[in-house]
Amino acid sequence: MRLSVIGCGYLGAVHAACMADLGHEVVGVDVDAAKVDLLAAGTPPFHEPGFADLLERALATGRLTFTTDPDAVASAQVHFVCVGTPQREDSYAADLRYVDDAVDALVARLAPHPDGPVVVVGKSTVPVGTAERIAARIARAAPDAGATLVWNPEFLREGFAIQDTVSPDRIVYGLPPGPDGERAAEVLDAVYADLLARGVPRLRTDYATSQLVKVAANSFLATKISFINAMAELCEATGADVTELAEAIGYDDRIGRKFLRAGVGFGGGCLPKDIRAFMARAGELGVDQALTFLREVDAINLRRREHVVELAAAACGGSLSGARVAVLGAAFKPDSDDIRDSPALAVAEGVAGRGGQVVVTDPAALENVRRTRPHLRTEPDVRAALAGADVVLLLTEWREYVGLDPAEVGELVARRQVVDGRNVLDPARWRAAGWTYRGLGRP
Ligand code: UDX
């Protein structure tokens, strides 16, 4: 089938390549010429395991192209809207400017397609009510195209983006009532035929529910993380161990073990801004009380960052002024170069703000750090970053940091002090090598 993918960021680029790999003919459109050039040349503009190979394979078939030309969507029957919805600068709400621009550009080019009904598929994470507004816009601006909007949220995790695209836990269609919705669902079934044949569950629902599914899922995940981080605060006050607590409660499969890793908290381009946009939308809908708890979820999360700065200061005798602090990790999670709302960088900034001499290292994200935070000192080599450190803060659990040999790196630092912001190091092993070890929520 002929597909267009509008917006070639994390979501769109991976979606486009995966769809081409499944056999579809895909054109990816983006306003960012530099990104389009990279993708067209087979160079991923971001770090994602497996994506370089997938991109190369898909480009080699000739079925995948990238362009900045908005007219290129004209040949497609199905259009995926995959642009970003970041947090607005002036409020908690989502910035829908890119969605609106993408839809404007698309509706101007919608026309009947020889292969069947035209379907616009919304994949961006949006405030509930946006799909209804876009559907009305399509009907008004392109009445003769016979195009139908389906809301089809994505749930991909960075680091697992390909797997989550081709083997998602579920596929959700938000459909308008009536025969148009039925026909559009059939078209989308054909796009996802391979996934459906493999038994991926597919749920059909209305627009409002489909938009809520995404933000509800992310709110639940954020709540789970903040729950265990709140327990970490209790553990710190009582001498208990949150990692053992999480293991013990996780055996109850109503609770489950996943997303109960206490540490410096959640970051990234999704969870923080999605819970805030959800609160903002609830306020507009007059049900802000229903989501007041998310304010607490956010506050617990941000408190962990401050706590790590305090631990670093405590390790340096109460003052960070002039202390040499090695920050291991800048990305918001391992296997990613994404530094959006990264807890690691928030801590690095906090330490630097209190006079610490910070050196940040990361296997993938340093270019992004240098571009956005030129005032932070970066060092690509972890051993060089550790040299002379008064305290080491492990803030992103990259495999290479988890695997460090405490005896060996103990020779590099000025003082053997480590704050394990992800609770991934073995305290006994580090202590045995002469380190003062502090985890989060651990004695
Ligand atoms: C998330 C959702 O998981 C995904 O379904 C959605 O589509 C987009 O948002 P992502 O942002 O890639 O995906 O990261 P995720 O793996 O969810 O981690 C988010 C943050 O939570 C990271 O900073 C991670 O370090 C942190 N985290 C995760 C914890 O602190 N503890 C945990 O137990 C799990």
Side-chain angles (χ1 to χ4, degrees):
M1 299 176 75
R2 287 172 184 272
L3 319 177
S4 84
V5 173
I6 301 157
C8 295
Y10 227 104
L11 164 62
V14 173
H15 190 69
C18 287
M19 292 301 113
D21 204 38
L22 289 176
H24 300 302
E25 228 166 85
V26 186
V27 58
V29 187
D30 201 289
V31 293
D32 182 342
K35 192 183 288 175
V36 162
D37 288 347
L38 283 172
L39 286 165
T43 310
F46 46 78
H47 179 95
E48 177 64 32
F51 183 56
D53 290 345
L54 170 71
L55 184 62
E56 193 184 301
R57 190 165 73 233
L59 287 169
T61 64
R63 291 192 299 264
L64 178 63
T65 52
F66 292 97
T67 178
T68 54
D69 178 7
D71 288 331
V73 302
S75 62
Q77 181 191 356
V78 182
H79 307 277
F80 289 93
V81 177
C82 297
V83 294
T85 52
Q87 185 178 328
R88 286 175 62 107
E89 273 169 23
D90 55 354
S91 76
Y92 269 11
D95 186 346
L96 293 177
R97 165 176 14 167
Y98 306 108
V99 172
D100 288 335
D101 288 353
V103 170
D104 281 347
L106 176 62
V107 289
R109 292 165 178 88
L110 286 177
H113 198 277
D115 296 341
V118 173
V119 181
V120 177
V121 187
K123 292 194 81 69
S124 307
T125 302
V126 292
V128 58
T130 307
E132 291 81 346
R133 189 165 61 75
I134 294 174
R137 170 128 184 69
I138 292 171
R140 209 172 46 242
D144 303 325
T148 302
L149 178 74
V150 179
W151 210 262
N152 171 221
E154 58 73 29
F155 303 94
L156 68 82
R157 296 161 298 166
E158 297 188 14
F160 301 90
I162 297 167
Q163 180 191 322
D164 287 350
T165 303
V166 295
S167 304
D169 294 334
R170 73 303 210 185
I171 300 175
V172 176
Y173 295 173
L175 301 168
D180 286 349
E182 290 302 317
R183 276 194 293 271
E186 279 169 26
V187 171
L188 208 48
D189 279 352
V191 173
Y192 292 140
D194 280 27
L195 283 63
L196 297 172
R198 276 188 279 113
V200 174
R202 186 208 55 181
L203 289 87
R204 294 158 53 123
T205 181
D206 51 81
Y207 281 151
T209 308
S210 66
Q211 294 162 91
L212 284 174
V213 170
K214 175 62 191 278
V215 280
N218 275 357
S219 296
F220 190 83
L221 294 172
T223 303
K224 234 181 147 180
I225 299 169
S226 277
F227 172 83
I228 202 64
N229 282 333
M231 293 305 109
E233 292 187 16
L234 267 297
C235 288
E236 279 151 16
T238 55
D241 186 325
V242 75
T243 63
E244 292 171 11
L245 176 77
E247 188 185 354
I249 63 173
Y251 274 112
D252 182 337
D253 44 318
R254 292 171 303 174
I255 297 172
R257 186 65 189 82
K258 289 183 181 159
F259 267 64
L260 285 183
R261 280 179 282 118
V264 70
F266 59 81
C270 291
L271 298 191
K273 65 108 176 153
D274 284 355
I275 62 168
R276 292 176 194 149
F278 200 15
M279 284 187 268
R281 185 66 185 130
E284 291 167 5
L285 293 166
V287 287
D288 44 328
Q289 277 192 340
L291 298 186
T292 311
F293 74 96
L294 287 180
R295 206 167 279 281
E296 206 49 50
V297 166
D298 200 10
I300 294 165
N301 193 52
L302 297 177
R303 237 178 7 243
R304 290 284 85 185
R305 301 175 180 191
E306 189 48 42
H307 182 61
V308 174
V309 178
E310 292 297 340
L311 288 178
C316 299
S319 167
L320 283 164
S321 186
R324 281 167 300 178
V325 182
V327 170
L328 307 193
F332 83 104
K333 68 180 205 181
D335 291 322
S336 169
D337 63 353
D338 195 340
I339 55 166
R340 285 176 292 173
D341 213 333
S342 165
L345 284 184
V347 170
E349 296 270 22
V351 170
R354 286 168 63 168
Q357 291 178 24
V358 179
V359 184
V360 181
T361 188
D362 189 284
L366 288 191
E367 210 176 298
N368 288 334
V369 178
R370 283 186 213 111
R371 193 169 39 77
T372 55
R373 292 174 180 78
H375 52 281
L376 285 178
R377 200 178 132 206
T378 55
E379 170 52 62
D381 180 64
V382 63
R383 285 177 173 76
L386 288 166
D390 293 310
V391 60
V392 178
L393 311 181
L394 193 162
L395 301 178
T396 311
E397 67 276 33
W398 285 95
R399 224 165 300 134
E400 40 270 75
Y401 303 155
V402 180
L404 285 173
D405 177 352
E408 185 213 327
V409 296
E411 300 296 326
L412 304 170
V413 296
R415 298 168 70 193
R416 297 188 180 199
Q417 306 198 89
V418 63
V419 177
D420 179 4
R422 295 292 181 179
N423 290 337
V424 287
L425 303 177
D426 177 356
R429 186 161 170 246
W430 282 70
R431 287 184 179 129
W435 287 76
T436 304
Y437 171 95
R438 279 302 307 261
L440 295 194
R442 307 178 89 177

